[in-house]
Amino acid sequence: MSRVFVSQEIVDEALEEFEGTGITVDLRRDHTPLPAAELRAAASTYDGLICLLTDRIDAEFLAACPRLRVVANVAVGYDNIDVPAATRAGVAVTNTPGVLTDATADLAFALLLATARRIPEGDAFLRAGRYTHWRVNQEQMGVDVHGATLGLFGLGQIGRAVARRARGFDMTVLYHDVQRLPAEDERELGVTYAEFDELLARSDFVSVHAPLLDSTRHRFDAAAFAAMKPTAMLINTARGPIVDEAALAAALREGMIAGAGLDVFEREPEVDALLLELRERVVLLPHLGSATGTTRREMCRMAARSVRDVLTGKRPENLVNTELADRLVAGP
């Protein structure tokens, strides 16, 4: 009989995916991540694992879990998993793309608006009892979003969803990606390809939607901020290490760029102390991109379905290491 370990608390409805399969599921009812050694020990006798992006699944973990056949990450990104090591060990890796696209795109645009219009600052100002009268030169003077130029770094599913939302604000949308879209797709989305330096130089807002890779780590560094408009703002809902936080804090403090809205951080949940000190035109959120009840429930169910499918000899819907597909269908 196959056994599944769930490393952290997920929604109970996800466990319904295992009904009638004979698969035993042990759900750890705790929302704090286990230290690496404890996670290895806890999962060592299981056939399947449902994990979160705060769990590090590396070669050492895989060696300690010889029965493991599938790791399902409750996230679209999987930089917390050593996929080549999993493939060598014959362990399927799955993620949860698609279902969180719109929720994350909504949050990215909300973060853009909140930063541009200084909404958190206005809220704090009013709650502190400092709003005594309306004035032309308001303390929280923002910048226009409508008609501005939006630069998208990465044009996957979430980037495209943000581009569609930008239409409603009559924005000019540029994008940079490792692979350029066909001209017909560019026209349909209303986007224009730009080299990275051009994207930085022309954009009023730069929104990050790329995966974390060696090539994207610290892609936004001091040189990148120096190339941006002094009135520009950076939005990041992708992965924290794509942005050099120390360089960002310095760029904001020195007026190299005007603002930033961040939902993810370089050493999450730690946030650079210099960023925390900045109050104006800097909005910081605790990784809320996919945080709607509907989205998180479906992410958990999707991960559970993936584990169920692998353990019952089927190909999961979101297999990352596709080279294992034939072996999975053949069964153990």
Side-chain angles (χ1 to χ4, degrees):
M1 180 183 296
S2 296
R3 301 172 66 227
V4 175
F5 180 63
V6 186
S7 66
Q8 297 177 48
E9 194 164 34
I10 62 172
V11 299
D12 285 342
E13 295 98 309
L15 306 185
E16 296 171 0
E17 301 291 345
F18 296 101
E19 291 179 357
T21 64
I23 296 171
T24 299
V25 182
D26 291 327
L27 168 62
R28 178 174 168 262
R29 292 194 177 278
D30 194 319
H31 57 78
T32 56
L34 283 170
E38 293 182 30
L39 179 61
R40 290 194 297 270
S44 61
T45 60
Y46 287 86
D47 306 279
L49 172 69
I50 297 175
C51 67
L52 275 62
L53 54 85
T54 49
D55 297 316
R56 179 63 186 163
I57 310 301
D58 55 16
E60 187 176 2
F61 173 89
L62 294 162
C65 301
R67 288 183 50 176
L68 199 63
R69 293 169 53 197
V70 55
V71 174
N73 208 37
V74 186
V76 63
Y78 44 86
D79 45 278
N80 58 311
I81 300 174
D82 187 337
V83 177
T87 302
R88 290 192 297 272
V91 176
V93 175
T94 70
N95 64 340
T96 60
V99 64
L100 50 69
T101 295
D102 285 318
T104 306
D106 285 349
L107 192 281
F109 223 91
L111 197 50
L112 187 156
L113 288 165
T115 306
R117 297 304 304 272
R118 303 174 69 175
I119 292 172
E121 293 176 57
D123 180 84
F125 183 84
L126 184 146
R127 291 176 187 275
R130 298 173 61 193
Y131 178 52
T132 58
H133 61 280
W134 186 91
R135 51 187 276 195
V136 171
N137 189 21
Q138 201 89 11
E139 286 86 346
Q140 296 79 34
M141 195 71 72
V143 298
D144 289 329
V145 173
H146 69 273
T149 296
L150 171 64
L152 300 174
F153 181 68
L155 201 70
Q157 292 186 51
I158 297 171
R160 296 182 194 201
V162 172
R164 288 191 289 270
R165 283 154 177 75
R167 289 177 179 174
F169 289 81
D170 294 323
M171 301 182 85
T172 297
V173 182
L174 309 177
Y175 78 97
H176 180 77
D177 200 289
V178 292
Q179 189 170 9
R180 182 171 179 173
L181 293 180
E184 182 178 344
D185 291 346
E186 289 184 345
R187 286 193 298 271
E188 182 181 346
L189 275 173
V191 299
T192 301
Y193 178 81
E195 294 295 341
F196 185 62
D197 289 345
E198 180 187 3
L199 184 91
L200 297 178
R202 292 180 55 190
S203 298
D204 299 303
F205 301 93
V206 176
S207 190
V208 181
H209 301 287
L212 177 60
L213 307 168
D214 289 341
S215 59
T216 60
R217 186 178 294 274
H218 278 196
R219 192 69 177 90
F220 287 85
D221 56 10
F225 298 129
M228 292 171 66
K229 296 179 180 181
T231 55
M233 299 183 180
L234 178 76
I235 308 299
N236 187 11
T237 56
R239 284 293 182 264
I242 296 174
V243 175
D244 181 336
E245 283 185 15
L248 173 60
L252 290 164
R253 193 171 56 250
E254 296 166 14
M256 295 173 65
I257 65 171
L262 307 176
D263 188 43
V264 290
F265 302 94
E266 192 172 353
R267 293 169 297 277
E268 198 168 321
E270 178 188 343
V271 182
D272 190 286
L274 295 176
L275 280 178
L276 291 172
E277 291 174 3
L278 297 169
R279 302 295 183 185
E280 295 185 0
R281 296 184 175 88
V282 177
V283 182
L284 308 176
L285 297 179
H287 208 140
L288 297 179
S290 62
T292 73
T294 300
T295 299
R296 291 279 173 89
R297 279 193 297 273
E298 185 52 32
M299 288 170 68
C300 293
R301 295 197 76 123
M302 184 178 288
R305 287 196 298 272
S306 294
V307 171
R308 177 201 66 196
D309 287 348
V310 171
L311 297 183
T312 56
K314 301 173 185 176
R315 174 173 175 161
E317 57 186 317
N318 298 305
L319 182 63
V320 173
N321 44 356
T322 54
E323 53 268 54
L324 294 182
D326 292 341
R327 192 187 314 181
L328 297 178
V329 175

